């Protein structure tokens, strides 16, 4: 399993990070999205996720389709709204989570 850490910084200050974890040849999950509390509400999580998507597009093989997925607790409204902006509407819900994905 491959893990890649993504960092978002302003100058020398790291304000956010997340992990991209490979589940199999074509499926990757974005985990542990975090933005420091004092920087929240400024669109940094969205920028971080867009960075993951763009890097994944650049690094993918031409003959492969990649599937990026992420989930948010339904009660975590800021995360839910951010993921919805980046990935569109959830493809599935359960009693606790909303699940999002994008094909590249």
């Amino acid at each position: 399993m491959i893990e890649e850490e993504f960092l978002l910084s302003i100058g020398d200050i790291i304000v956010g990070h997340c992990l991209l974890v490979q589940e199999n040849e074509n499926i990757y999950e974005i985990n542990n999205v975090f933005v420091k509390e004092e920087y929240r509400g400024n669109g940094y999580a969205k920028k971080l996720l867009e960075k993951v998507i763009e890097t994944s597009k650049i690094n993918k093989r031409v003959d492969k389709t990649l599937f990026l997925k992420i989930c948010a607790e339904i009660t975590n409204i800021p995360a839910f709204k951010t993921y919805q902006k980046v990935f569109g509407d959830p493809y599935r819900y359960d009693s606790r989570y909303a699940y999002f994905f994008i094909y590249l």
Side-chain angles (χ1 to χ4, degrees):
M1 177 174 20
I2 297 172
E3 281 188 13
E4 184 176 355
E5 184 175 28
F6 286 81
L7 303 174
L8 183 68
S9 53
I10 300 173
D12 294 337
I13 301 169
I14 296 172
V15 299
H17 67 86
C18 69
L19 288 176
L20 183 64
V21 179
Q22 184 178 16
E23 290 186 4
N24 67 36
E25 189 176 336
N26 297 39
I27 299 175
Y28 291 78
E29 184 170 4
I30 301 169
N31 292 321
N32 303 333
V33 178
F34 178 78
V35 174
K36 288 183 179 178
E37 193 169 337
E38 61 269 26
Y39 294 95
R40 293 178 185 168
N42 295 303
Y44 293 128
K46 182 176 182 271
K47 288 179 184 177
L48 181 60
L49 293 171
E50 289 169 344
K51 180 179 177 181
V52 171
I53 291 168
E54 286 307 309
T55 301
S56 297
K57 283 180 183 177
I58 291 167
N59 292 338
K60 82 177 189 92
R61 288 183 30 195
V62 174
D63 62 338
K64 295 282 183 198
T65 298
L66 293 183
F67 178 81
L68 298 182
K69 63 182 189 170
I70 193 167
C71 67
E73 285 194 46
I74 297 168
T75 57
N76 187 342
I77 303 302
F80 182 94
K81 287 183 176 182
T82 298
Y83 300 170
Q84 193 173 36
K85 286 177 190 173
V86 176
F87 295 91
D89 290 330
Y91 70 91
R92 180 169 76 90
Y93 290 92
D94 63 25
S95 62
R96 187 171 174 188
Y97 295 100
Y99 299 87
F100 301 85
F101 79 94
I102 189 170
Y103 284 109
L104 304 179

